[in-house]
């Protein structure tokens, strides 16, 4: 017996008695398989003493070992692959000889049959039952799960009587399979050579999704689904499941121009869609397909963020909501290869990221673009990453539609009971190449020889139902003709439509929030004032520690200092940030702040979540007054790609929640670059998506080396066009305060990128007055507040960010009165007119400099030169170009900074 879990290998019967006694004390104290055995097998102590006298117990355990092997390895021998059967020989097999049993004992009765729900019965019946459960069209992996109760529930679910479908249900499955096949053939004929990423080979996905909404809506009263999927089968799902108008899809194939010229649009198989449709039983379900770029699994994080936002905001429920379910449809190659999958799976059970469990469906083509599984992953299954969560995986033959539906029912029941993820690996094939113009036989000639001879799932199921006399030949012909007529009518309608229309995703949620592109509206001043007496009142609420609680001494010192500053009517950066949140909460807005170490703040500056000595968590911002909004603050795991994607999805759900994501250091944002490039910067133009997410990226050169100096401002500026983003580098607490408030007071929503300070958090000059917060306004450009007579100024220095304070200190130290320091606070959109007016104000200036601490090839210089170079003659002062953002030597850093400052004034 080669199985390392064999129960008889080296186990003495006294050990069994010892295990049984431990089980009685605590079922969780022993290995889960033994616990399950003792739980299900009539193993009372008296009976045990009687049975142990006989050698029969040895045979009982041999059969139990066989049962265990089926549970653990049955999926290797299941009929799950419709194309490539028995390519790999699995050892050890499930042959009786490997378990010390023989065919002579097939008709011998064993008590251990009780463990699989069929009572005392023959070995033959036990094996037949095990094959029926574990080795047909569904192969289930679950024996790595450590919870005995969960294992018991899974087995009971599969041991119950096999699900029987009604005649009407079977006809419906056939109808959906016909739609899947006919839709693909119609497009193949009408739009020859165009990419469509056919679902053929996994057509059963369509009836599976239909049955999912049917089952959940009547059994669990589910109201909404958030679905993410790659391009494979997307158009078919959009038309035949989401019920997107066929004419609209045909227009997209025809390549007609968009009527709205402000949107670039996207290829048809990346677009999202939202709809409310009826189930067969007449219940209404909201369906949302999230737009997705070619970075396939990136949508995974977005789906989870949207779902969590709807749980929090729309359904106002806890995270184990049954009202809304996230569905992720994966490709096998991307699921096993892309790191975002691991990042988001690790979010799934965390307090700030739970969504009540996700149902994963893998459209398993058994191939990437041209890459075989042996080249695409090291694990046996593409779903092996699911085991980190210890949740079940079902491998299902995609040609067996009824088994696919059964797997769907199991997945739903498991998700609703345990609120955990569940994976269905739908093994099919890809009928054509990666796209319909690609030749797959270049690289997989044997596979595609087999595929070319294979009968599709529709034809297989049609034959089955004809044999069962559920449908006749005429029934089938009428069904096929009816659907073909619908497609032809919609095709003709499309020919008469002039313009393409970009359907907006989540349109209902954003119907009162316009999309704005014009400069006048974008740059319009926004009233962010707030009564000073209320600011002071809120300050005392959020900066006063509860007297009845005990806190760490340094925590008490920080909050005492904050109250002292309020008395003097000054605030530092962190106080201004918390007051921005406090005033918005007071006005009823909700806030979500997440990222690495945000609760305390990377630089021990924020302390929005404070802990008592007993580690009780307190958020004083939630204790301002009874009818206020709510702030949620979550430290994320050490993830940028997954966590940023999640929060972008969260912000996508509603214009009424301020969603902020902070990188531990600004350069860590490059870990989420795909989300920034494919969603944050371009989602509005491609998909008509509105999103107001705020990215807080600590930036500034302070001698901490290349990795903690630059948030790569230049990269974000390369993404700016058509007023798609706000990019800001504030230098005063009050400007940051008004910026955050402005984000929610705008009539529209744009992502906001904020380069936040590090050393300025405690710079004694980086202070603002409470009056600045109360009566001020966000200022895109800051003139020099220390210049008394503009006509005495002969030199203008333009800069942005922290370098301003170093220039200010240098100017003071040399008592320079001829240089003005002008700060660009909002870098994009750039207020050109204000800059021109400031330059004109200093009529005696002789030289104009741009000063930055970033190397010449980084920072703002290229952007400033591009925007202002034709109208302003700048001289650049910056470190020389470099491939690395900064030196790793602190003395070298000081030398470079001093050189910049010296050049600026001499």
């Amino acid at each position: 017996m080669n199985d390392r879990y064999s129960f008889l290998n080296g186990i003495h019967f006294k050990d069994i008695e010892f295990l049984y006694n431990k089980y009685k004390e605590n079922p969780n104290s022993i290995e889960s398989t033994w616990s399950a055995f003792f739980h299900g097998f009539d193993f009372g102590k008296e009976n045990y003493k009687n049975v142990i006298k006989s050698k029969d117990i040895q045979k009982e355990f041999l059969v139990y070992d066989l049962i265990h092997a089926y549970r653990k390895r049955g999926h290797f021998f299941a009929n799950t692959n419709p194309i490539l059967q028995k390519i790999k020989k699995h050892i050890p097999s499930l042959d009786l000889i490997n378990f010390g049993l023989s065919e002579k004992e097939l008709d011998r009765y064993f008590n251990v049959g009780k463990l699989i729900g069929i009572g005392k019965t023959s070995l033959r019946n036990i094996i037949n039952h095990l094959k029926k459960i574990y080795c047909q069209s569904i192969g289930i992996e679950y024996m790595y799960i450590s919870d005995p109760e969960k294992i018991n529930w899974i087995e009971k679910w599969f041991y119950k009587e096999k699900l029987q479908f009604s005649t009407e249900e079977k006809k419906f499955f056939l109808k959906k399979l016909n739609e899947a096949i006919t839709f693909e053939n119609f497009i193949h004929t009408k739009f020859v050579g165009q990419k469509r990423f056919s679902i053929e080979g996994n057509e059963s996905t369509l009836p599976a999704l239909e049955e999912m909404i049917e089952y959940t809506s009547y059994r669990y009263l589910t109201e909404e689904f958030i679905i993410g999927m790659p391009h494979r089968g997307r158009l078919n799902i959009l038309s035949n499941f989401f019920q997107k108008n066929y004419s609209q899809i045909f227009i997209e194939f025809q390549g007609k121009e968009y009527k709205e010229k402000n949107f670039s649009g996207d290829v048809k198989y990346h677009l999202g869609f939202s709809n409310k449709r009826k189930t067969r039983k007449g219940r209404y379900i909201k369906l949302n397909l999230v737009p997705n770029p070619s970075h396939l699994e990136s949508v995974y994080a977005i789906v989870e963020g949207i779902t969590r936002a709807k749980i929090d905001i729309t359904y106002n429920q806890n995270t184990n909501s049954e009202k809304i379910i996230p569905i992720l449809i994966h490709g096998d190659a991307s699921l096993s290869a892309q790191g975002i999958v691991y990042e988001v799976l690790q979010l799934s059970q965390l307090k700030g990221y739970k969504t009540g469990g996700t149902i994963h469906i893998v459209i398993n083509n058994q191939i990437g673009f041209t890459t075989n599984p042996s080249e695409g992953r090291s694990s046996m299954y593409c779903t092996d990453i699911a085991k980190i969560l210890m949740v079940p995986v079902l491998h299902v033959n995609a040609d067996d539609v009824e088994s696919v539906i059964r797997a769907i029912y199991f997945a739903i029941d498991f998700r609703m009971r345990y609120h955990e993820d569940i994976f269905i690996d739908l093994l099919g094939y890809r009928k054509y190449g990666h796209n319909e113009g690609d030749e797959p036989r270049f690289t997989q000639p044997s596979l595609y020889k087999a595929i070319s001879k294979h009968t599709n799932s529709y034809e297989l199921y049609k034959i089955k139902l004809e044999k069962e006399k559920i449908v006749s030949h005429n029934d089938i012909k009428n069904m096929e003709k009816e659907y073909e007529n619908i497609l032809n009518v919609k095709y003709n309608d499309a020919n008469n439509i002039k313009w393409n229309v970009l359907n907006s995703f989540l349109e209902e949620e954003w119907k009162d929030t316009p999309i704005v592109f014009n400069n006048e509206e974008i740059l319009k001043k926004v009233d962010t004032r707030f009564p000073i007496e209320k600011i002071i009142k809120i300050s005392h609420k959020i900066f006063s520690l509860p007297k009845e609680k005990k806190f760490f001494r340094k925590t008490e010192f920080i909050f005492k200092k904050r109250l002292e500053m309020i008395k003097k009517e000054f605030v530092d950066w962190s106080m201004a940030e918390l007051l921005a949140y406090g005033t918005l909460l007071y006005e009823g807005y909700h806030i979500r702040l997440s990222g690495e170490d945000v609760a305390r703040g990377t630089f021990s500056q924020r302390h929005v979540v404070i802990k008592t000595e007993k580690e009780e968590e307190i958020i004083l911002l939630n204790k301002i007054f009874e009818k206020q909004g709510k702030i949620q603050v979550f430290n994320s795991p050490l993830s940028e790609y997954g966590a940023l994607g999640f929060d972008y999805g969260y912000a996508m759900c509603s214009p009424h929640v301020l969603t902020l994501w902070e990188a531990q250091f600004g350069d860590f944002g490059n870990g989420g670059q795909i989300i920034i490039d494919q969603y944050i910067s371009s989602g509005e133009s491609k998909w008509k998506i509105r999103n107001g997410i705020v990215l807080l990226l600590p930036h500034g050169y302070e001698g901490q080396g290349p990795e903690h100096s630059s948030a790569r401002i230049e990269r974000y500026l390369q993404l700016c066009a058509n007023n798609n983003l706000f990019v800001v580098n504030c230098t005063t607490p009050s400007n940051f305060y008004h910026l955050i408030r402005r984000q929610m007071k705008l009539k529209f929503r744009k992502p906001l990128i904020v380069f936040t300070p590090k050393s300025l958090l405690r710079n004694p000059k980086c202070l603002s007055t409470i009056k600045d917060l109360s009566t001020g306004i966000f200022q895109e450009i800051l003139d020099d507040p220390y210049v008394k007579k503009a006509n005495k100024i002969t030199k203008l220095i333009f800069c942005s960010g922290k370098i301003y304070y170093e220039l200010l200190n240098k100017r003071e130290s040399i008592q320079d009165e001829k240089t003005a320091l002008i700060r660009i606070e909002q870098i994009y959109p750039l207020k050109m007119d204000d800059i021109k007016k400031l330059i004109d104000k200093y009529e005696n200036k002789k030289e104009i400099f741009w000063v930055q601490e970033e190397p010449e090839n980084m920072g703002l210089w290229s952007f400033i030169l591009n925007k202002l170079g034709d109208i302003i003659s700048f001289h650049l002062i910056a470190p020389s170009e470099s491939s690395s953002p900064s030196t790793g030597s602190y003395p070298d850093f000081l030398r470079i900074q001093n050189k910049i400052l010296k050049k600026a004034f001499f």
Side-chain angles (χ1 to χ4, degrees), residues 138-141 158 383 392-396 403 406-408 410-411 422-427:
I138 298 176
I140 179 168
E141 291 187 277
F158 276 96
T383 53
V393 176
L394 275 61
H395 305 282
V396 191
S403 288
R406 189 166 181 247
I408 288 291
F410 171 82
I422 171 76
F423 285 74
I424 298 175
D425 179 18
L426 208 57
L427 276 95

Side-chain angles (χ1 to χ4, degrees), residues 1 3 5-9 60-70 73 98-99 112:
M1 288 174 282
D3 188 342
Y5 285 102
S6 172
F7 286 90
L8 296 181
N9 248 342
E60 291 282 355
F61 274 96
L62 289 173
V63 178
Y64 177 75
D65 206 23
L66 174 67
I67 292 171
H68 178 73
Y70 269 92
R73 292 188 283 112
N98 291 318
F99 300 89
V112 78

Side-chain angles (χ1 to χ4, degrees), residues 331-338 362-364 367-369 371 376-377 382:
D332 53 312
S334 60
L335 175 67
S336 57
Q338 295 186 12
V362 185
I363 295 183
N364 192 337
I367 192 171
F369 188 157
T371 304
R377 63 177 181 264
C382 64

Side-chain angles (χ1 to χ4, degrees), residues 436-451:
E436 287 65 33
D438 180 58
E439 178 50 80
R441 286 172 292 186
F442 283 139
T443 47
Q444 279 83 20
S446 298
L447 173 63
Y448 274 85
K449 185 177 181 181
I451 290 173

Side-chain angles (χ1 to χ4, degrees), residues 73 99 206 430 508 709 796:
R73 292 188 283 112
F99 300 89
L206 184 55
R430 188 183 68 196
E508 184 181 338
S709 294
L796 298 183

